[in-house]
Amino acid sequence: MKEITEPEMLHRAAAYCSTAERCIQDVQKKIDAAGLPPDASERIIARLLKERFIDESRYTRFFVNDKLRFNKWGRVKIGYELYKKNIPSPIREESAIDEGEYRSILLDLLKSKKKSTKGKDERDLFNKLLRFASGRGFESRITLDCLSQLFKGTDCEDYADDME
């Protein structure tokens, strides 16, 4: 197999970044897979950053938006995935999520899950939905608020106390 040169890899990396938002780690993996030395990799990344092919704060905004709206993930899971991609903490924290939209997404998600979930009783169903939302990365406090809306007329505080 033909060895790839640094200018050719720069061109490929720029094309890769042009198709969708990418973070440094994504591009680094591609460059490493091509077998270029670390100093060449650093130069390519620096050039892509300088020419704004890579912008981690822009990447984070789009990542948060996509994962919330399309994958229906909560803040905890989104934050963890950004952490795994080595996005710096200040950049992770600057991406704000509209609270009203966030609650609306969680409530819709819980409503649809409630229809397809069976439980022995209301308490069992409540606990299953709480675990489901937790697995999606939603905070317990917000999930409990939404579940109390869903289970109107029943004493949800008792269910929540059982979880603690």
Side-chain angles (χ1 to χ4, degrees):
M1 186 168 114
K2 181 182 126 183
E3 195 163 307
I4 192 166
T5 64
E6 188 175 331
E8 188 180 350
M9 189 63 222
L10 174 64
H11 178 71
R12 285 186 186 182
Y16 177 64
C17 292
S18 297
T19 59
E21 289 298 329
R22 311 286 181 190
C23 64
I24 293 172
Q25 186 183 41
D26 293 343
V27 177
Q28 187 71 52
K29 284 180 183 176
K30 287 285 185 191
I31 295 170
D32 291 346
L36 284 168
D39 60 324
S41 174
E42 287 173 24
R43 286 192 297 272
I44 291 171
I45 298 283
R47 178 107 181 256
L48 292 171
L49 284 166
K50 181 178 161 233
E51 295 180 10
R52 296 192 41 91
F53 279 99
I54 302 173
D55 182 338
E56 296 218 315
S57 60
R58 186 178 64 209
Y59 171 82
T60 301
R61 277 194 317 276
F62 284 104
F63 184 88
V64 168
N65 182 47
D66 289 353
K67 296 304 177 190
L68 177 64
R69 290 202 175 85
F70 301 121
N71 295 41
K72 310 264 189 268
W73 287 1
R75 280 190 192 98
V76 175
K77 189 167 185 173
I78 291 171
Y80 177 69
E81 291 299 321
L82 288 170
Y83 171 78
K84 283 185 1 187
K85 289 186 172 281
N86 293 327
I87 303 294
S89 184
I91 293 175
R92 286 195 314 260
E93 291 164 8
E94 79 183 23
S95 61
I97 295 174
D98 177 53
E99 195 64 31
E101 182 184 7
Y102 187 72
R103 284 177 179 272
S104 171
I105 287 171
L106 175 58
L107 194 57
D108 291 343
L109 191 63
L110 289 171
K111 280 179 186 174
S112 66
K113 187 66 176 176
K114 184 180 179 189
K115 290 177 187 171
S116 65
T117 305
K118 293 179 180 29
K120 292 180 282 193
D121 54 15
E122 289 270 305
R123 178 174 302 222
D124 188 42
L125 183 58
F126 182 93
N127 290 336
K128 285 181 177 184
L129 291 173
L130 185 61
R131 279 193 305 274
F132 168 75
S134 178
R136 284 288 181 105
F138 288 93
E139 302 91 325
S140 297
R141 177 184 49 81
I142 294 172
T143 303
L144 289 171
D145 289 347
C146 290
L147 284 172
S148 66
Q149 282 181 5
L150 274 179
F151 287 84
K152 282 184 227 123
T154 57
D155 200 7
C156 297
E157 286 71 37
D158 291 343
Y159 300 164
D161 292 339
D162 289 347
M163 293 300 288
E164 293 172 355

